[in-house]
Each structure stands twice: as C-alpha cells, then as structure tokens.
C-alpha cells in the first residue's frame, strides 16, 4: 500500500525521474546487499534489480552492469532529447527573426529616417520648431520630378532650386498637366537625398500620397510647404551638406485589394522612387 | 489611408492620416496670381526663400480663404514675425486667422 502510494507519486522533473524510479523500488527494503554507488554523477542512483536479490554473485554483477548500462543510456537519451529541444528552438527562433527582419527594418527606417524615409509626426511640427535659424548656412534644395510612362501627364517643378535656412518653412511649386483625353487619378511618392538629411527634412503639407485627380487636359499648380529642422545644424554628420535633392514621382493610381489607392507600377519601380532600390529587403507587405 | 511611406509596423498595423495631409488641387487657378508673384520674387532674389516668405504667406492665406486649405494659425506654419512684413497686411491676415 505504501509502496504503491510511493510508486504513484508524480515524477517531478526529468533528471530526478531516474532517482525516484530507482528509490521507490527499494524504498522499503534495507538490504545489506546494496551495491556501492559507482563513481559517477551523485544524483543518479542505479537500479538494483529485485530479481538479483536472491541470485548468485556473478549474476548480480551482470545484472548490476546491465543496470548501469541502462541508466547510462537513459541519461544519454534524456540529454539528447533536451539538446534536440534546445537546438530546434534556436532554429525556429532564427527562422522567425528572418521573417521579422523586414517589418523591423521598416520600423527602424520610419523611426530614424534611414534611406531617405520621410518623417511624418506631430511633435516635429510644433510651433517652436518652425523658427528660422538666421545665422546658419543656407541649404540649396533642388527639385526633381519624374513620372511613370503609364501616366500621360507632364509633371515638372516650377523652380529648379530654393535656398533655405534651417527651421524656415518654404513654399515650392510643381506643375502637372494631364495631356490625355480622360480624367486620370495620379498618386505621388517622394524621396530626399542625401539619406542623412531625411530625419530633418519635414513637410508640413504637400500633394503627395493622396490621390490627385486631373481632368482631361487640365493643368494645375501643386504647392508644397516644407522645412529643414533646425537640429540639422547640430548634427555633425550633416556638416558638409549644402545641397539636397527632393524628388517626386507621379504614378497612375489603381485600387488594391482593400480598395485603397496605390501606384500602378511595378513594385521595384515604386520602391526605387522611395529610395529603397539599393536595399535588398525591398518588397513591402 | 494614404500610402507612400515605406511600410513599417506603424503604417501597416495602424491607420493614421498624414500630418496635415495634402493640399487640395486648385482646379480653377484661384490663387494663381499669388503663386506667380511668389515665383517672380524667387527669380528676383536668386531663389532665396527668406525675402519671399511674405508672399508665401499671402499665397497660403489665399488658399485658406478660398477653402483650399484648412485655416490654421501662422505660428503652426512657421510664418510669424516675417521680416519686411507690412503691418497692415499682417493685421488683415491675422484678423482673418483669429476669426476662424
């Protein structure tokens, strides 16, 4: 009764399993023939087979050896099992990290403006940031305009460049003309080079990322209000920047699966217009 | 939801509008004169923006009046205390801003 009660105890841990298994068998017999523990790990007790209790010495020695062997194998199998578990966990983790790398990279770009990622956020546009730094060096912002071949528009900047001070909000204009005979919805992306100015280049309002519908034959002027954040003068990496290129690309718009408008162009072309063409982790979504 | 930024966890998981969004298109050219004056000023000043900021303020004021832009205080657009601003113009423009 007591023995079954002891045998029925739950095994607590794997490494203690062999211990409880062996001790319960002999729990109530205090035989003087208990074999000496071999010089191995202290927590491993060896099995003393009950059938050897009444057998001869050679048989008990063989049984002992078999018992040692069985215990060793059991220990090895447990160690192998845990090793397999750990290594498969490491493989799964590494595999998961490779999948997570793409959105994590995007997060990193959005947070730091790496690779010319535009920065959008309310804190950057508080009124005290929009004050010009009068004694700073002027920066020349060049304007560039591209369009996809599928878009029969004429799209060009109205000024080639503007010399601005950091912290000074400036206005610039682009002109777009729909040369076709249908109303076309276009959608624009933009990118700023060099990359290290991207965290400081902020746009208050522009004509990008939202649909712009031009009627057939219509010509419109598209303004954009931007500034270069005044922390730019404190950044040592940006000390030698005098020229910045702001580049817009207009695409034809189409509806994606969710009904949102997106550019009607190949993915790599769109990513190139956003400045991500040189990076391998390009494909989005 | 406007696309455009390379998708990140913010863009992909949470729908958020852009800061001030996009200028509505001026289909009828209502503010074209203000724009032409600004461009002329830029050409005269070798494309330096500081002398022409008064005109850019007038252009944006035209847009706000004609409903092509959300009316907002000038300090949120960084166009306060401009050098060379006519005080009458400033009063006229800022009164419109305050009344909005």
């Amino acid at each position: 009764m007591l023995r079954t009660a002891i045998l029925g105890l739950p095994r607590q841990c794997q490494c203690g399993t062999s211990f409880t298994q062996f001790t319960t068998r002999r729990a109530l017999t205090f035989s003087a023939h208990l074999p000496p523990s071999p010089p191995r790990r202290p927590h491993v007790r060896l099995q003393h087979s009950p059938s050897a209790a009444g057998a001869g010495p050679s048989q008990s020695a063989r049984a002992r050896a078999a018992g040692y062997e069985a215990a060793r194998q059991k220990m090895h199998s447990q160690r192998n099992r845990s090793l397999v578990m750990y290594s498969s966990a490491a493989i799964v983790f590494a595999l998961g990290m490779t999948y997570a790398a793409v959105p994590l990279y995007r997060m990193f770009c959005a947070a730091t403006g790496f690779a010319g990622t535009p920065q959008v956020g309310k804190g950057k546009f508080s009124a005290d940031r929009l004050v010009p730094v009068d004694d700073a060096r002027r920066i020349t912002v060049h304007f560039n305009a591209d369009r996809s071949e599928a878009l029969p528009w004429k799209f060009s900047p109205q000024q080639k460049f503007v010399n601005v001070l950091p912290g000074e909000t400036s206005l610039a204009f682009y002109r777009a003309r729909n040369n076709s005979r249908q109303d076309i919805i276009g959608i624009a992306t933009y990118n700023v080079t060099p990359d290290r100015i991207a965290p400081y280049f902020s746009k208050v309002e522009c004509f990008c990322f939202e649909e712009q519908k031009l009627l057939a034959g219509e010509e419109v002027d598209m303004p954009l209000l931007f500034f270069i954040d005044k922390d730019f003068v404190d950044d040592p990496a940006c000390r030698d920047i005098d020229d910045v290129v702001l580049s817009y690309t207009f695409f034809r718009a189409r509806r994606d699966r969710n009904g949102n408008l997106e550019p009607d162009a190949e993915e790599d072309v769109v990513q190139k217009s956003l400045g991500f063409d040189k990076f391998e982790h390009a494909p989005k979504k | 939801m406007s696309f455009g930024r390379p998708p990140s966890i913010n863009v992909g998981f949470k729908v958020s509008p852009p800061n001030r969004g996009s200028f509505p298109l001026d289909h009828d050219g209502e503010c074209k004169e203000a724009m032409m004056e600004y461009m002329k000023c830029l050409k005269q000043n070798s494309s330096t923006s500081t002398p022409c900021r008064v005109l850019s303020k007038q252009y944006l004021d035209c847009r706000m009046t004609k409903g092509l832009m959300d009316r907002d205080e000038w300090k949120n657009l960084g166009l306060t205390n401009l050098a060379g601003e006519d005080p009458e113009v400033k009063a006229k423009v800022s009164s419109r801003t305050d009344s909005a």
Side-chain angles (χ1 to χ4, degrees), chain A residues 197-229:
Chain A
I197 201 172
Y200 304 106
F201 192 95
S202 310
K203 299 189 316 167
V204 179
E205 204 164 343
C206 65
F207 54 88
C208 42
F209 306 151
E210 289 178 16
E211 54 189 274
Q212 309 289 344
K213 183 171 187 182
L214 280 189
L215 307 174
E218 188 183 8
E219 182 176 54
V220 287
D221 301 307
M222 296 166 159
L224 93 105
L225 191 64
F226 70 93
F227 69 100
I228 296 177
D229 196 277

Side-chain angles (χ1 to χ4, degrees), chain A residues 12-67:
Chain A
Q12 296 288 323
C13 61
Q14 217 175 9
C15 52
T17 301
S18 36
F19 175 83
T20 51
Q21 201 175 15
F22 302 138
T23 50
T24 46
R25 296 255 172 97
R26 293 293 296 160
L28 297 176
T29 59
F30 305 102
S31 165
H33 290 293
L34 274 176
S37 289
R40 286 179 197 253
R41 289 178 182 208
H43 66 275
V44 174
R45 301 292 168 91
L46 293 185
Q47 178 174 11
H48 185 81
S49 168
S51 61
S58 62
Q59 271 183 331
S60 74
R62 260 199 306 263
R64 238 180 289 144

Side-chain angles (χ1 to χ4, degrees), chain B residues 11-54:
Chain B
V11 176
F13 286 58
K14 186 174 61 162
V15 175
S16 58
N19 188 38
R20 288 186 63 94
S22 145
F23 278 118
L25 285 183
D26 185 5
H27 288 279
D28 303 323
E30 289 161 347
C31 293
K32 203 171 168 87
E33 294 85 32
M35 186 202 79
M36 295 312 292
E37 277 195 39
Y38 176 73
M39 297 305 300
K40 209 161 47 173
C41 169
L42 275 189
K43 284 193 183 63
Q44 284 166 356
N45 288 294
S46 63
S47 297
T48 307
S49 65
T50 311
C52 305
R53 296 189 82 205
V54 183

Side-chain angles (χ1 to χ4, degrees), chain A residues 16-218:
Chain A
T17 301
S18 36
F19 175 83
T20 51
Q21 201 175 15
F22 302 138
T23 50
T24 46
R25 296 255 172 97
R26 293 293 296 160
L28 297 176
T29 59
F30 305 102
S31 165
H33 290 293
L34 274 176
S37 289
R40 286 179 197 253
R41 289 178 182 208
H43 66 275
V44 174
R45 301 292 168 91
L46 293 185
Q47 178 174 11
H48 185 81
S49 168
S51 61
S58 62
Q59 271 183 331
S60 74
R62 260 199 306 263
R64 238 180 289 144
Y68 294 159
E69 195 55 45
R72 203 173 336 129
Q73 275 177 357
K74 200 171 213 82
M75 185 177 68
H76 283 163
S77 75
Q78 276 157 13
R79 270 200 282 188
N80 286 344
R81 208 175 12 243
S82 60
L83 181 67
V84 165
M85 288 296 175
Y86 279 118
S87 38
S88 55
I91 289 170
V92 167
F93 176 72
L95 211 62
M97 284 309 291
T98 59
Y99 278 102
V102 174
L104 284 177
Y105 178 73
R106 298 286 182 198
M107 273 171 68
F108 167 70
C109 286
T112 62
F114 189 67
T117 310
Q119 299 287 290
V120 182
K122 193 61 189 174
K124 301 169 54 63
F125 298 90
S126 56
D128 55 333
R129 298 222 67 85
L130 302 177
V131 178
V133 180
D134 291 314
D135 50 353
R137 198 179 70 241
R138 280 195 178 263
I139 301 149
T140 307
V141 179
H142 299 262
F143 298 99
N144 183 33
D146 287 319
R147 59 173 185 83
S148 81
E149 292 87 30
L151 191 66
W153 288 11
K154 179 176 180 306
F155 178 54
S156 59
Q158 293 197 31
Q159 64 286 306
K160 290 241 180 313
F161 60 90
V162 175
N163 295 316
V164 300
L165 287 171
E168 186 181 60
T169 52
S170 313
L171 194 60
F173 289 93
Y174 278 76
R175 179 170 285 152
R177 184 190 172 80
N178 183 353
N179 288 326
S180 75
R181 271 191 278 246
Q182 298 98 21
D183 303 343
I184 296 178
I185 300 178
I187 195 164
T189 66
Y190 72 96
N191 182 253
V192 174
T193 46
D195 294 346
R196 44 189 199 282
I197 201 172
Y200 304 106
F201 192 95
S202 310
K203 299 189 316 167
V204 179
E205 204 164 343
C206 65
F207 54 88
C208 42
F209 306 151
E210 289 178 16
E211 54 189 274
Q212 309 289 344
K213 183 171 187 182
L214 280 189
L215 307 174
E218 188 183 8

